[in-house]
Amino acid sequence: MNKKIVRISALCVLISSCAFAQQKETISSQDELKEVVVSDSKFALAKEKSGKVITKITAQDLKNKAGQSLANVLSSVAGVEINGNQSAAGKNLGYYIRGGKNNQVLILIDGIPVNDASGISFEYDLRLLPVEQVESIEIMKGAASTLYGSGAGTGVINITLKKSGKKAIEGNAYVNAGTNNTANTDKTSAQNYNQGFSVNGNADKVNYFASLNSTEIIGMSQIAPVNPDDNYEEDRFSRINYLAKLGYKATEKLTLDFFGSYDKVKMDYDASFDNTGTNDTDLNSTDSEQFRFGFLPKYKYSKGEFVLNSSFNKIVRTYNDFDFYSNTPGFSQYESRSVNVDGFNKYEFSESFFLVAGAQYQFHDMNSITPFGGNLKEATKFNMIDPYVTGVFSTDFGLNLNAGARLNIHSQYGNQLVYNVNPSFDFKSIPLKILASYSTAFVTPSLYQLYSEYGNADLTPEKNRTIEAGFETQLLDKKIKLNAVAFYREQTNFIGFYFNPVTFDSNYINIDGMNRAKGVETEFSFALSEKINWNSNYTFTQVDKALDRLIPKHKVNSALDFQINDRLFFNLDYQFVDSRNDAFFDGNTFATTKIVLGSYQLVNTSARYELVKNRLSIFGAVSNILNADFVENVGYNTLGRNFKLGMNIKL
């Protein structure tokens, strides 16, 4: 697609927004947005009183996207790029929001921060979580360290897992299978299998939920062939997930919730220095095991509510690889533990003002055994204690204000103060809300960046300042929904990786100077009729050179949903991803070459039919219908045209 066409399309969207804003339909604010959001105050808040444009992916949205992975679903959101979602299932994922990378995007599961304390970027691996266990998702973009601490530099992805139903016992089972082709293969046999079941219920004061998921994918190599005649081995991806939740309603005011989960992923991968494919063997594999459990009591009283989120998380990653330089097998293991205790209280001073005050404690440690780094158990740990406060003020005439501050007390870096000011105004006479915010954030270096064989104990935290302004509106009797946000972000102390090709020395360093990111995110939906809905979004992101890798300048998503009748649903969606900068590291010469990856377009479709209303449904999906041959990361394969069929049974 010509870049001029993209710019013209974006301009049309913005011009349309101005035209729609001039229309005079009146819709009361109370009826305008009945949704509630949680991410910007930690408590349920009417969307019209929120000072953020928060994207919510509902259970129905996920149902309509049957057959897609969690990474696929998230990458269709305005302002979000999940790099690797179109590659082999075992490919590492990159999270990019507003020019920030993995270490600046915080992922929550049921409100609890999740991460891998031994990972390079400290991020949570979305490959561990099957989308079938997810009930809904909120995405809040912008600096959010005031509420969520280190890591929430450019955005928060808040994932809510499924819960118990209202009956004493209910169940659900599903199975789907599909192909796993690149654009240059055309296998017709099923090579992508996903199945699972869950049981849940609610009896008197006790509720429960338990689920099992199993995924097995074969059929393609992670790395792309250099020559057409190269025969690369297939890289397997295998995953199993167990999840259990138990709730007890002790009194009308006090509820006690417990959870536990076990996730295991086993996958093959390709040697990072193997650029020729001659060493693409099945000797490279990794196992990742995750153990999570927690306790979440809640107490409601006349003026508010107290919540305690506590959890323990342990991840063990084992690599069995082949060193083709020494022609010998290798072994590495990374083990991390994380403890999170976050107690916070909401107190309502009046109908128009409530205060959220809390304190969060986090502990992280890491133990690694590598051929070059040895055992690092003694040095690799730190903890954080963060008191914070946020106030939410709203008025009858439409003015809303969300403001707060957090003091991070870090065992390694001392004190870090962050704050946010987020005013918004909801017009009563016209369906329009305008918003603005100024927020600061910080991101501490990971234990890997500090203490691994490439570590640098003198690293200092990255710091962010973000300004944003925008609006959202609903028009034509709420058939049209439109929002747009412009942002500007400044980042200092950016952590980069330095490699000396002469001495072969390499380590993590803080890059001097300030790096900037700016852009526009806009979302548009139009209910053409009761059965047809059109949803589109456009993202423009421009970043300075130090941040400019794998971030598309322009990105467009557009989807048409058609509820043909009460049993049959059809979807057609389109995605355009602009060209991106990447870097190719040559394992033979140790030279790094900058490369520009071409833009690409994807067209996908799916259909779902309920054989037995609300009980038995089947679906079919075709991804990359046009079989586009493109590159997400230099040297790696991407998915071509693929088919998937599935069935879901509700008991």
Side-chain angles (χ1 to χ4, degrees):
M1 177 182 288
N2 191 295
K3 288 186 178 181
K4 290 183 178 179
I5 297 176
V6 177
R7 296 190 181 104
I8 292 171
S9 301
L11 184 60
C12 289
V13 171
L14 295 177
I15 292 174
S16 299
S17 71
C18 297
F20 292 142
Q22 292 175 7
Q23 298 189 35
K24 298 299 181 180
E25 295 88 344
T26 60
I27 303 170
S28 69
S29 295
Q30 296 301 318
D31 295 331
E32 174 192 276
L33 293 169
K34 294 184 178 180
E35 292 182 65
V36 295
V37 292
V38 175
S39 300
D40 64 342
S41 67
K42 290 195 173 183
F43 290 94
L45 181 67
K47 192 173 181 181
E48 68 267 16
K49 295 182 179 181
S50 171
K52 292 279 190 178
V53 172
I54 297 176
T55 301
K56 189 164 186 177
I57 301 171
T58 66
Q60 185 62 45
D61 294 331
L62 293 172
K63 187 177 180 180
N64 293 342
K65 295 177 181 292
Q68 297 189 25
S69 70
L70 187 57
N72 294 150
V73 173
L74 288 170
S75 201
S76 66
V77 174
V80 178
E81 169 68 8
I82 308 296
N83 182 267
N85 81 93
Q86 295 293 331
S87 298
K91 173 73 176 63
N92 289 338
L93 298 175
Y95 317 144
Y96 301 94
I97 295 179
R98 294 190 171 179
K101 296 177 172 58
N102 293 37
N103 64 333
Q104 296 183 324
V105 178
L106 182 65
I107 295 176
L108 310 176
I109 296 181
D110 288 334
I112 298 174
V114 287
N115 46 53
D116 180 358
S118 68
I120 295 175
S121 298
F122 219 65
E123 82 276 13
Y124 177 77
D125 188 351
L126 284 173
R127 294 174 297 179
L128 289 166
L129 184 63
V131 70
E132 288 81 9
Q133 290 182 348
V134 176
E135 175 69 20
S136 63
I137 309 170
E138 282 187 7
I139 300 98
M140 182 175 70
K141 289 156 285 187
S145 280
T146 299
L147 275 178
Y148 297 106
S150 175
T154 61
V156 174
I157 299 173
N158 190 0
I159 300 170
T160 300
L161 300 184
K162 291 183 176 179
K163 303 175 183 177
S164 62
K166 295 181 179 180
K167 297 181 180 179
I169 183 168
E170 294 180 275
N172 186 73
Y174 57 89
V175 60
N176 57 68
T179 60
N180 193 39
N181 285 310
T182 68
N184 300 307
T185 61
D186 54 1
K187 301 172 186 175
T188 57
S189 59
Q191 296 180 308
N192 183 336
Y193 300 91
N194 183 46
Q195 52 274 318
F197 68 89
S198 66
V199 60
N200 67 90
N202 197 321
D204 195 16
K205 294 184 176 183
V206 177
N207 63 80
Y208 62 93
F209 177 89
S211 72
L212 167 67
N213 171 270
S214 174
T215 304
E216 188 80 19
I217 303 174
I218 57 174
M220 65 184 289
S221 170
Q222 279 194 30
I223 58 174
V226 177
N227 301 304
D229 296 332
D230 288 339
N231 185 22
Y232 285 14
E233 53 89 13
E234 298 176 353
D235 292 320
R236 170 179 171 238
F237 176 88
S238 178
R239 179 180 64 199
I240 190 165
N241 307 86
Y242 301 93
L243 171 67
K245 291 185 174 185
L246 179 65
Y248 177 67
K249 189 175 182 180
T251 69
E252 290 299 317
K253 296 182 178 180
L254 177 63
T255 59
L256 307 174
D257 292 311
F258 305 84
F259 75 86
S261 68
Y262 172 75
D263 312 295
K264 183 173 182 179
V265 171
K266 181 178 179 63
M267 54 192 172
D268 301 328
Y269 69 96
D270 295 311
S272 57
F273 297 123
D274 182 12
N275 304 138
T276 65
T278 56
N279 297 285
D280 182 33
T281 70
D282 58 4
L283 297 177
N284 301 313
S285 65
T286 180
D287 293 321
S288 293
E289 288 187 280
Q290 176 181 241
F291 307 85
R292 294 181 64 240
F293 60 86
F295 175 47
L296 296 81
K298 297 180 182 179
Y299 180 75
K300 293 185 178 181
Y301 55 96
S302 60
K303 289 288 187 178
E305 181 179 358
F306 175 77
V307 178
L308 179 67
N309 287 342
S310 60
S311 68
F312 172 81
N313 185 28
K314 179 179 178 180
I315 295 181
V316 180
R317 290 183 290 118
T318 302
Y319 294 86
N320 296 290
D321 51 23
F322 187 81
D323 187 344
F324 65 87
Y325 288 118
S326 61
N327 201 35
T328 57
F331 171 83
S332 301
Q333 186 177 80
Y334 297 86
E335 179 179 321
S336 68
R337 299 178 301 173
S338 297
V339 175
N340 178 84
V341 181
D342 188 7
F344 49 97
N345 181 76
K346 172 187 176 183
Y347 187 83
E348 297 180 356
F349 289 89
S350 67
E351 292 183 358
S352 60
F353 177 66
F354 69 83
L355 193 69
V356 177
Q360 182 177 12
Y361 169 78
Q362 294 184 70
F363 169 83
H364 305 283
D365 74 359
M366 162 188 164
N367 175 22
S368 67
I369 301 172
T370 66
F372 306 106
N375 191 326
L376 302 177
K377 184 174 182 179
E378 298 302 321
T380 54
K381 60 183 178 181
F382 59 60
N383 64 73
M384 294 175 278
I385 301 175
D386 300 17
Y388 60 91
V389 61
T390 290
V392 178
F393 175 70
S394 59
T395 65
D396 292 336
F397 62 87
L399 177 64
N400 306 299
L401 178 65
N402 183 319
R406 170 185 287 241
L407 178 64
N408 175 263
I409 305 169
H410 197 289
S411 61
Q412 177 77 9
Y413 299 111
N415 300 341
Q416 304 283 337
L417 178 67
V418 294
Y419 58 92
N420 78 286
V421 180
N422 180 199
S424 63
F425 191 87
D426 184 16
F427 289 87
K428 300 297 181 180
S429 58
I430 58 174
L432 176 66
K433 182 174 75 173
I434 59 174
L435 56 92
S437 72
Y438 177 84
S439 50
T440 62
F442 71 98
V443 180
T444 62
S446 68
L447 291 169
Y448 187 93
Q449 291 169 334
L450 289 169
Y451 302 120
S452 72
E453 61 267 37
Y454 308 110
N456 177 0
D458 295 325
L459 291 174
T460 57
E462 298 179 350
K463 295 183 179 181
N464 288 333
R465 295 185 299 174
T466 301
I467 301 172
E468 67 177 12
F471 72 90
E472 59 182 354
T473 185
Q474 296 188 21
L475 304 159
L476 297 181
D477 197 24
K478 296 186 288 187
K479 292 181 179 180
I480 292 176
K481 298 179 181 179
L482 177 70
N483 66 63
V485 175
F487 70 90
Y488 173 80
R489 183 171 68 87
E490 295 180 343
Q491 176 176 322
T492 57
N493 297 340
F494 174 70
I495 297 175
F497 188 75
Y498 172 75
F499 174 76
N500 190 323
V502 178
T503 64
F504 295 163
D505 291 334
S506 55
N507 66 323
Y508 290 94
I509 61 172
N510 286 111
I511 297 176
D512 294 334
M514 181 179 294
N515 293 287
R516 299 169 179 84
K518 58 185 178 182
V520 176
E521 301 155 356
T522 181
E523 298 173 298
F524 170 78
S525 69
F526 184 17
L528 285 81
S529 69
E530 291 183 358
K531 295 183 177 181
I532 303 176
N533 197 66
W534 174 36
N535 297 283
S536 296
N537 62 66
Y538 166 73
T539 305
F540 167 79
T541 308
Q542 184 173 326
V543 296
D544 284 350
K545 184 177 180 180
L547 308 177
D548 191 12
R549 184 176 179 188
L550 297 175
I551 299 176
K553 193 170 187 178
H554 303 280
K555 187 175 180 181
V556 176
N557 293 284
S558 188
L560 187 68
D561 296 336
F562 187 12
Q563 189 71 50
I564 298 173
N565 55 45
D566 61 351
R567 292 176 181 263
L568 181 60
F569 172 84
F570 174 78
N571 165 269
L572 181 68
D573 68 71
Y574 165 83
Q575 183 177 80
F576 167 80
V577 179
D578 199 11
S579 59
R580 292 132 290 126
N581 292 324
D582 200 355
F584 176 77
F585 180 77
D586 192 319
N588 298 308
T589 64
F590 298 101
T592 299
T593 305
K594 294 182 180 179
I595 291 177
V596 177
L597 305 178
S599 62
Y600 63 89
Q601 304 173 68
L602 299 176
V603 180
N604 312 299
T605 188
S606 66
R608 186 184 72 255
Y609 182 73
E610 294 193 12
L611 294 171
V612 180
K613 186 67 174 175
N614 298 323
R615 290 292 181 183
L616 174 62
S617 65
I618 58 175
F619 80 87
V622 185
S623 58
N624 193 1
I625 295 174
L626 303 179
N627 202 33
D629 191 359
F630 62 98
V631 178
E632 267 195 308
N633 292 94
V634 61
Y636 286 88
N637 263 325
T638 53
L639 294 165
R641 183 189 298 115
N642 284 286
F643 303 86
K644 184 173 284 189
L645 296 173
M647 178 174 62
N648 187 82
I649 305 173
K650 187 175 181 181
L651 305 174

